[in-house]
Amino acid sequence: MLFQVIRKEIKVLFASYIGWGILAMFALVMGVLYTQSLSEYMQVMLGHVPTVEQIGLTKYIGANMFSAASLLMLMFIPLLSMRLLAEEQKNLTMAFMLSAPISLAEIVLGKFLSLLSFLMLMLAYLVLIICILNLWTDIDFGYIFANVLGLVLLIASFSAISLFISSLTRQPILAATLSFLVLILFLFVDQLFEQQTNTIWASLSMMQRYKSFAVGLLNTADIAFYVLVSGAFIFFTIRKLEHQRVYG
């Protein structure tokens, strides 16, 4: 049943204008940034543009593109997730879904994994255009792997949080707005309390946790943080649906 939910939700995403529009926008922005970064790198290497330090092609282009991709996901995920549960409630189909012979865990995981699978298509496109550079020069695959892993974990956390928020309201637009604001809070919570000496806020900041991946390093504490955040919000969503099934 889990795979049936995933297949159904992916079909819905590809049948929507929002899904195709987001895919097209991501491809366009990444394509423009890719050619622009490559052109700038060539100017630096030719000495036309001064640079403080010599930097590899992979890091120069990858840093720009992975950073931009994370910001695009911040905008795209709330738009894609807003219909997963909020629209079910708005269209009054939630009761049918909750009474179906399928566990709530399968429903929630199916919707989460379908969204994640759709987003992985965009990430695959990003990795492909960067790896194409290997046809002309050696690239740092370790750096790419660390950034890809970090972005996957970040996307999974964004998706789990947005899915939970989608379960709290009947209005998809409200769900998207709240998801965006909450994701902003999780990303930059350390900036809101930067005057305080307590480091707990920095440890809760997704942006701070992502920095190690961005420089090509793997930190097990950061990996565990993202996994725990994703798992926690998936659990919260299941509990929310259980409460709704019992109390309406």
Side-chain angles (χ1 to χ4, degrees):
M1 293 298 290
L2 175 63
F3 293 105
Q4 292 180 5
V5 175
I6 295 174
R7 185 168 62 249
K8 170 185 171 293
E9 293 297 333
I10 289 178
K11 286 182 179 179
V12 172
L13 284 170
F14 278 107
S16 67
Y17 292 112
I18 291 180
W20 283 107
I22 285 176
L23 285 175
M25 187 177 299
F26 184 85
L28 177 62
V29 172
M30 289 295 102
V32 170
L33 185 59
Y34 179 76
T35 55
Q36 180 181 343
S37 298
L38 188 57
S39 176
E40 289 176 355
Y41 182 80
M42 295 304 297
Q43 294 296 317
V44 169
M45 291 298 101
L46 291 173
H48 297 160
V49 178
T51 182
V52 177
E53 60 177 333
Q54 293 294 322
I55 186 171
L57 176 62
T58 310
K59 187 175 181 181
Y60 190 91
I61 294 181
N64 291 336
M65 300 195 67
F66 284 112
S67 176
S70 64
L71 294 177
L72 288 175
M73 293 300 176
L74 173 64
M75 295 182 289
F76 292 160
I77 290 176
L79 293 175
L80 291 170
S81 66
M82 67 180 182
R83 51 156 297 278
L84 290 177
L85 290 172
E87 195 169 276
E88 296 273 9
Q89 299 185 72
K90 180 181 179 182
N91 295 336
L92 303 179
T93 57
M94 179 66 78
F96 297 104
M97 182 178 69
L98 295 179
S99 61
I102 180 175
S103 69
L104 294 178
E106 287 179 310
I107 293 174
V108 173
L109 285 174
K111 289 179 176 292
F112 170 75
L113 292 174
S114 64
L115 176 58
L116 200 59
S117 299
F118 186 84
L119 296 169
M120 289 303 102
L121 291 176
M122 289 185 271
L123 185 55
Y125 168 77
L126 172 60
V127 173
L128 176 62
I129 60 176
I130 293 178
C131 288
I132 285 176
L133 294 172
N134 198 54
L135 296 175
W136 295 279
T137 185
D138 293 331
I139 62 176
D140 187 347
F141 285 103
Y143 175 84
I144 294 174
F145 175 78
N147 274 269
V148 169
L149 178 60
L151 194 53
V152 168
L153 293 170
L154 186 68
I155 289 171
S157 298
F158 281 1
S159 299
I161 293 170
S162 298
L163 180 61
F164 171 68
I165 294 174
S166 180
S167 72
L168 301 178
T169 177
R170 296 175 180 269
Q171 301 300 325
I173 299 301
L174 178 60
T177 303
L178 290 176
S179 295
F180 179 75
L181 294 176
V182 171
L183 293 181
I184 287 287
L185 178 62
F186 269 96
L187 276 174
F188 304 109
V189 64
D190 59 315
Q191 300 297 319
L192 298 177
F193 301 97
E194 61 181 348
Q195 301 300 326
Q196 299 187 18
T197 57
N198 194 339
T199 59
I200 187 173
W201 300 114
S203 65
L204 293 176
S205 170
M206 287 189 176
M207 183 60 70
Q208 289 295 327
R209 293 285 186 176
Y210 184 72
K211 286 183 177 179
S212 61
F213 298 103
V215 296
L217 301 176
L218 298 180
N219 187 320
T220 53
D222 295 333
I223 295 174
F225 170 80
Y226 284 115
V227 172
L228 287 173
V229 169
S230 300
F233 277 93
I234 289 173
F235 174 75
F236 294 156
T237 307
I238 295 172
R239 294 295 296 169
K240 169 62 174 64
L241 294 185
E242 286 179 348
H243 182 275
Q244 188 169 345
R245 170 182 277 178
V246 175
Y247 298 103

